[in-house]
Amino acid sequence: MAAHEQHPVPDQRGANLYTTDPDFARLLGLYLPTDLHAHLQPHLERLGALAGGVLDDWATTADRHPPTLEHRSRDGRDAQRIVKHPAYVALERVAFADYGLAAMSHRGGVLGWPEVMPPAAKYALSYLFVQAEFGLCCPLSMTDSLTRTLRKFGDATLVERYLPALTTQDFDALAQGAMFMTEQGAGSDIAATTVRALPDGEGAYRLSGDKWFCSNPDAALAMVLARIEGAPEGIQGVSLFLMPRTLPDGTPNAYRIIRLKDKLGTRSMASGE
């Protein structure tokens, strides 16, 4: 392309990605209640400006400095942790804490709105956010989906224990979610799941096996597919388990991250085995 030719997709750096997209703004009027639409206008405008500015800067930095896995602490203890670049953590704070993107579908009070917001509100704000940083959309969506699944199917005791941390906007108290589904021999064929689950005699299960592609692998809570010992083969024998990274007594759960994936895309966000 010659230097004088205009690029077919102009660089939006520095633009407000909400105010420069009038078709998107008009579309929201069709899908959002009138009062909520009006309430969200300043939040959409602010996020649009952030997405064209500082969020884009942070996303570029985070993509160039992907997370790393440390197996031991400074004093040699076996204590795995994933080290994220400060730019990625800053993006997390905007998404989870400032805008409550994982919480607004589950409780009122997010962005000053007293009720639970409809999905269209979350999708509208997420649409702006991911134009700057797409990798973080995965942990956001998994936290939201894990929360929804837990509320719908989980034991009342588990809901009471974990729901507040899943839906908080206090970043330091937040519990992010993940989903450990994929196995090397099964791929996307859930019916071929081989990870096994054995009852421990105390109302819980012990899982054994490997998961091959786990995004957000250090999340506080993960939904994990496994086959209870003696269950039938095929999809009918697969069950869904809630796996905390830290057990209720404060000790770490007994699973390990083998390595992080060297991905072509969404490099800012950790995926592991």
Side-chain angles (χ1 to χ4, degrees):
M1 184 172 64
H4 66 277
E5 293 182 21
Q6 185 176 0
H7 194 282
V9 182
D11 188 354
Q12 287 288 79
R13 178 69 181 91
N16 185 310
L17 302 187
Y18 178 67
T19 59
T20 57
D21 192 350
D23 291 331
F24 172 59
R26 283 192 292 269
L27 191 65
L28 294 183
L30 300 176
Y31 290 97
L32 292 174
T34 302
D35 52 350
L36 177 58
H37 187 204
H39 177 83
L40 287 177
Q41 285 304 308
H43 300 293
L44 290 162
E45 291 177 8
R46 176 174 176 265
L47 185 54
L50 290 172
V54 67
L55 296 187
D56 185 49
D57 292 338
W58 290 339
T60 300
T61 300
D63 192 65
R64 292 173 178 169
H65 299 85
T68 57
L69 174 63
E70 292 186 353
H71 293 283
R72 297 189 177 276
S73 64
R74 280 170 56 92
D75 57 4
R77 286 176 295 170
D78 185 358
Q80 286 192 321
R81 72 181 188 123
I82 293 176
V83 180
K84 306 170 184 177
H85 193 277
Y88 183 83
V89 177
L91 289 163
E92 288 182 304
R93 287 185 178 276
V94 172
F96 283 103
D98 294 354
Y99 278 87
L101 295 180
M104 63 176 53
S105 296
H106 304 285
R107 66 168 177 84
V110 178
L111 297 179
W113 189 251
E115 302 169 352
V116 173
M117 293 193 203
K122 177 190 68 179
Y123 296 144
L125 291 160
S126 298
Y127 170 75
L128 292 173
F129 184 89
V130 300
Q131 290 181 66
E133 164 54 27
F134 190 79
L136 187 53
C137 185
C138 182
L140 278 169
S141 298
M142 290 193 297
T143 303
D144 181 8
S145 299
L146 183 147
T147 303
R148 186 173 305 280
T149 304
L150 178 63
R151 290 176 58 204
K152 187 172 182 179
F153 299 107
D155 181 89
T157 303
L158 294 177
V159 176
E160 182 180 5
R161 178 183 299 163
Y162 294 119
L163 185 62
L166 286 165
T167 59
T168 185
Q169 287 180 262
D170 178 351
F171 188 74
D172 295 326
L174 172 70
Q176 292 188 31
M179 296 180 183
F180 298 173
M181 308 294 179
T182 309
E183 298 180 11
Q184 188 175 14
S188 60
D189 183 5
I190 297 302
T193 293
T194 62
V195 169
R196 297 290 169 173
L198 283 172
D200 67 355
E202 299 178 1
Y205 287 82
R206 294 187 179 276
L207 308 186
S208 61
D210 297 294
K211 292 296 183 180
W212 182 246
F213 199 99
C214 303
S215 293
N216 210 23
D218 62 338
L221 294 162
M223 290 288 189
V224 185
L225 288 177
R227 193 179 304 276
I228 298 174
E229 201 68 30
E233 294 302 314
I235 195 67
Q236 291 82 5
V238 178
S239 298
L240 184 64
F241 296 87
L242 180 68
M243 186 176 70
R245 184 146 180 81
T246 302
L247 298 173
D249 64 2
T251 60
N253 210 340
Y255 69 92
R256 297 189 63 77
I257 303 169
I258 299 171
R259 65 172 179 171
L260 299 186
K261 299 288 192 181
D262 186 11
K263 297 178 292 185
L264 292 176
T266 61
R267 292 175 56 81
S268 63
M269 181 267 301
S271 298
E273 299 170 17

